[in-house]
Amino acid sequence: MFTVATISASFSPIRIVNTSNRPVSFRVSAEVFPPFLPREVEKVKDPFARKLASRIQRLPVELSISKNCIMSSCVKPMVQKAANPLVLLHGFDSSCLEWRYTLPLLEQAGYETWAIDVLGWGFSNLEKLPLCNVESKRDHLYQFWKSYIGRPMVLVGPSLGAAVAIDFAINHPEAVDKLILIDASVYAEGTGGLSRLPKFAAYASVSVLKSLPLRLVATYLTYHSLSFDTCLDWARIGRLHCLLDWWEDATVDFMNSGGYNVTAQIRQILKRTLVIWGEDDQIIDSKLGVQLHCELPNAIIRQIPNCGHYPHVEKPDAVTKLIKDFIETNNTPLPLFSKPEEKVLVRQLE
């Protein structure tokens, strides 16, 4: 289970001594939040989420496809470095707040670290709603990279963010140095039957998707072990972006577009890749992590015990160390073909 001790490296611990007989009470510290965040951010108790939320900014990004200028939400790095930056994506229907624990650790390790909201999710201003299909999401990320980063990046994609990263690396290889894929959702055939739903049914589905009871269940399944209070707070964090006015329209548009289907592209990825997987993932079977490792020509895999679907939330210390080791080891190319024993392992797991 996640504890404050696992992220003590990112914030100085405070020792509170009770010198009276009265019980000690705690209040969430007041943060200055950007005005575009939903007011419900004030209800979030997690100090790391509050801290990261206070850092979210909007930067103008002009899409080449629609010519829309999107005020795009992100967390900018504290410092810029000469080395290639880390760029953190997020999972399906989520936001940069996923990185509330790991991003500070990566910054403390000295990396220039960006957290970017994928078009259609997060906290960007979509009042003039662009298309939110795969092509637009890819174009948005590329135009963001072109405007503000401009160097090959270590692109980190958790869950569906791994499909975003693979699609992007195939189409814009000049923008990607390495890939890090975390509990990757890359074998689904897009949004499947959901793409054929009538509009009214699609809107009804996404309305349920943002309900707190459903988010509570999803949060419980996503992580290895959570107390109810933590589960409730994390569910609130996870649905915060759903409270923006355009969230339903953007989500229905993505659903009807068919979504990501990158299975056929996996073997084309020649970038050096780290696959990270939580051993107790209840969302995506760990056998698919082994399969992904075998199909990627230039990859290594590392598993994290006692960890669910989002290791970067649940085990930030472990994820930070794996990323650091991956980036800082020598760049000697890995074997271009999977080892025979790895393929045997996949068959044994089937």
Side-chain angles (χ1 to χ4, degrees), residues 37 69 95 149 171 196 229:
L37 291 186
C69 185
S95 75
I149 300 173
N171 286 278
R196 297 186 292 274
D229 286 346

Side-chain angles (χ1 to χ4, degrees), residues 135-280:
E135 187 179 9
S136 292
K137 290 178 188 292
R138 181 196 311 137
D139 181 50
H140 174 261
L141 180 55
Y142 178 72
Q143 297 304 329
F144 189 106
W145 171 83
K146 187 176 177 182
S147 298
Y148 300 104
I149 300 173
R151 291 162 289 148
M153 53 188 171
V154 180
L155 190 58
V156 186
S159 194
L160 189 68
V164 178
I166 286 174
D167 172 82
F168 186 84
I170 289 292
N171 286 278
H172 298 290
E174 75 283 3
V176 179
D177 177 30
K178 299 179 180 70
L179 286 173
I180 298 174
L181 310 178
I182 302 175
D183 288 69
S185 177
V186 293
Y187 290 108
E189 295 182 358
T191 55
L194 295 175
S195 64
R196 297 186 292 274
L197 286 177
K199 284 281 187 181
F200 76 90
Y203 275 96
S205 298
V206 299
S207 180
V208 172
L209 185 61
K210 75 173 180 181
S211 68
L212 187 57
L214 183 63
R215 292 278 169 165
L216 270 171
V217 172
T219 303
Y220 177 78
L221 293 174
T222 297
Y223 301 101
H224 177 59
S225 178
L226 291 181
S227 68
F228 177 77
D229 286 346
T230 300
C231 189
L232 178 60
D233 198 42
W234 287 12
R236 285 189 177 127
I237 295 167
R239 74 187 286 267
L240 191 61
H241 68 284
C242 301
L243 305 177
L244 295 175
D245 292 340
W246 44 84
W247 172 81
E248 288 188 1
D249 294 330
T251 303
V252 168
D253 189 51
F254 174 72
M255 183 187 300
N256 287 340
S257 75
Y260 283 90
N261 188 348
V262 300
T263 304
Q265 297 175 312
I266 291 171
R267 294 182 185 275
Q268 301 172 35
I269 295 290
L270 301 180
K271 302 292 183 182
R272 196 164 184 267
T273 304
L274 168 65
V275 177
I276 299 175
W277 215 274
E279 286 186 356
D280 298 294

Side-chain angles (χ1 to χ4, degrees), residues 21-43:
N21 292 324
R22 290 176 294 182
V24 176
S25 61
F26 298 90
R27 295 182 61 189
V28 176
S29 60
E31 304 287 350
V32 179
F33 298 115
F36 54 79
L37 291 186
R39 293 180 61 184
E40 285 77 0
V41 68
E42 297 287 357
K43 296 180 182 178

